[in-house]
Amino acid sequence: MKVLLINGSPRLQGNTFQALGEVAKVLNEEGIETEIISIGPKAVQGCIACGMCGREGRCTFHDDLYGKVLTAVREGIDGLVVGSPVYYGGPNGSLCALLDRVFYSLGCELSYKPAASVVVCRRGGASAAFDRLNKYFGILNMPVVSSQYWNMVYGQTPGQVKADEEGMQTMRTLGRNMAWMIKKLNVSEDGHPQTEQPVRTSFIR
């Protein structure tokens, strides 16, 4: 069993990474392998809605960052955690650019996998960013893993999140809850509910 964690901060060892690390530590203790992929400080290509992924089975842009996520997903994951710092009340734009491409091109491979988002902020905007990230999961039948509070941690300078005792406890609870859900669902062996042919309603007449 394996969980992929995506660090949506340009700071490789910053507060978002440390919050995700707390989740990963508990998952490892529960016998679940983890991998953290960081988006880094470079510009990230966004989706251009070209539709090529439907024909090629992957995004038409072949950058290393997307390639790392593609490889991790195709090698097999049982859960996903996405973490981001809060910028102007929302997630990092570079992270959203990546997630738009990942969820559009790899949706079939992510469906029904338990998922969670983690947000880190100095003071405000955490709940709005948290809501934005959770929308990715809700459109792909992905069970959203909860914790004892919304998955948010507070800190500005690197390492400050560790002083947020409630926030870090929330991360540990999230890790335990995700391990529990993955083991109970056992999606890889038991399959998932039968799906209907999608219906697309157009409100333009």
Side-chain angles (χ1 to χ4, degrees), residues 30-175:
E30 294 285 341
I32 295 178
E33 182 185 353
T34 57
E35 178 182 359
I36 299 179
I37 294 177
S38 296
I39 66 169
K42 294 182 180 179
V44 179
Q45 172 67 51
C47 179
I48 60 170
C50 65
M52 288 299 293
C53 58
R55 294 188 283 275
E56 296 181 356
R58 57 159 295 152
C59 180
T60 191
F61 297 110
H62 291 229
D63 53 286
D64 290 341
L65 177 59
Y66 175 88
K68 288 179 182 178
V69 176
L70 173 71
T71 299
V73 171
R74 296 232 160 122
E75 285 181 349
I77 62 170
D78 300 281
L80 176 69
V81 181
V82 177
S84 178
V86 174
Y87 293 166
Y88 290 93
N92 181 1
S94 294
L95 172 64
C96 292
L98 172 67
L99 294 179
D100 286 349
R101 293 164 60 203
V102 167
F103 275 75
Y104 197 68
S105 62
L106 303 176
C108 291
E109 292 157 276
L110 292 172
S111 291
Y112 298 99
K113 305 287 177 66
S117 60
V118 168
V119 293
V120 179
C121 70
R122 181 191 70 84
R123 185 172 178 82
S127 58
F130 182 63
D131 175 68
R132 171 73 173 83
L133 290 175
N134 284 338
K135 283 183 165 60
Y136 285 103
F137 314 138
I139 204 168
L140 286 181
N141 299 293
M142 300 175 78
V144 177
V145 184
S146 60
S147 187
Q148 66 190 45
Y149 194 77
W150 299 299
N151 304 327
M152 50 189 70
V153 191
Y154 290 83
Q156 182 176 15
T157 58
Q160 280 190 334
V161 291
K162 292 184 177 179
D164 180 3
E165 295 181 5
E166 182 180 356
M168 295 304 273
Q169 185 180 65
T170 299
M171 296 300 102
R172 293 191 295 273
T173 302
L174 173 61

Side-chain angles (χ1 to χ4, degrees), residues 7 9 11-22 36 38:
N7 172 21
S9 171
R11 295 184 174 88
L12 299 182
Q13 302 291 326
N15 287 315
T16 303
F17 177 84
Q18 291 180 36
L20 291 175
E22 196 75 1
I36 299 179
S38 296

